[in-house]
Amino acid sequence: NGPWYNNDSFEQIQHMPAGWRIDHIRGDSPWERGQISSSTNYGPASQTWPSGNNGMGINLDGIYSNEVYTHLVSPQYHIPTGATARLIFNHWICTEQAWDGGAIFTSIDDGITWQHFGGNITGFYDIVSQVNGYSPFYQLGIFDGSRVNGGCGTQNTFHTFTRESGDISYLAGHDVRIRFSFFTDTYVEEDGWYIDDAGIVIDNFQLNGSWTSPLIESDDYGWAKLTSLYWAP
């Protein structure tokens, strides 16, 4: 019945948007909602979010701490049967290469179990975690900023937010939660992970349509070209 959308906002003054939550396991740097600090030399050099004044980040006032394991969990999104859908988000990340980083997980049972997302999407993650057998991301794809040209971090003014997208249509017919998980080891701390404009885009197609133009007479012996303005769902 035409395009529609539903959204909440990290711009709310004192609270997380409805349905979002932080599940913090350990460490001194949980996910935080707020503005990017302009008083430190860490985080995005622009000190602004892709949209609005607030977003979610790991320690918005400096580098993250060691031994962190923390999750940012989304509300449930219903993906209709037969629909195509994509997970989208803007992010900026810089961590100790290969050892620390962030990864995305999905759940279709309201968070009882979680499955790693995006490992089968070519180029989605920066690297596969293979150096720390104690990491919860061991042998899984992670974001760590290692693909940023010129190096990740505030020292590289060309390191800006990037838009990520990954097909999630295989979960059609389910209520889906998304989890942004961040892990650090014992040594070497960097800027952290910043996320904004996160959600699921769903393409829900109608099964039937109808003609909207009148019948147009055509010359059986000539050539013709039809020019139109149209909408294709």
Side-chain angles (χ1 to χ4, degrees), residues 41-124:
N41 293 321
Y42 299 100
S46 65
Q47 299 173 358
T48 58
W49 296 100
S51 64
N53 298 314
N54 293 293
M56 300 299 301
I58 301 293
N59 193 2
L60 296 172
D61 297 317
I63 61 174
Y64 55 79
S65 63
N66 61 1
E67 301 292 349
V68 171
Y69 192 33
T70 188
H71 310 301
L72 173 64
V73 182
S74 80
Q76 289 191 106
Y77 298 100
H78 179 71
I79 304 178
T81 300
T84 57
R86 298 173 304 285
L87 170 66
I88 58 171
F89 59 97
N90 288 316
H91 80 140
W92 187 104
I93 190 168
C94 188
T95 73
E96 180 188 13
Q97 183 175 342
W99 293 88
D100 303 340
I104 297 173
F105 295 79
T106 62
S107 175
I108 58 174
D109 54 15
D110 201 17
I112 297 174
T113 61
W114 294 92
Q115 294 75 42
H116 184 254
F117 173 80
N120 61 334
I121 302 175
T122 301
F124 184 75

Side-chain angles (χ1 to χ4, degrees), residues 98-160:
W99 293 88
D100 303 340
I104 297 173
F105 295 79
T106 62
S107 175
I108 58 174
D109 54 15
D110 201 17
I112 297 174
T113 61
W114 294 92
Q115 294 75 42
H116 184 254
F117 173 80
N120 61 334
I121 302 175
T122 301
F124 184 75
Y125 286 107
D126 294 333
I127 197 171
V128 174
S129 175
Q130 296 180 316
V131 296
N132 183 1
Y134 295 101
S135 169
F137 306 151
Y138 185 61
Q139 301 289 12
L140 300 176
I142 60 171
F143 298 110
D144 63 359
S146 59
R147 290 190 302 180
V148 176
N149 290 332
C152 73
T154 311
Q155 73 278 3
N156 181 0
T157 58
F158 296 102
H159 181 189
T160 59

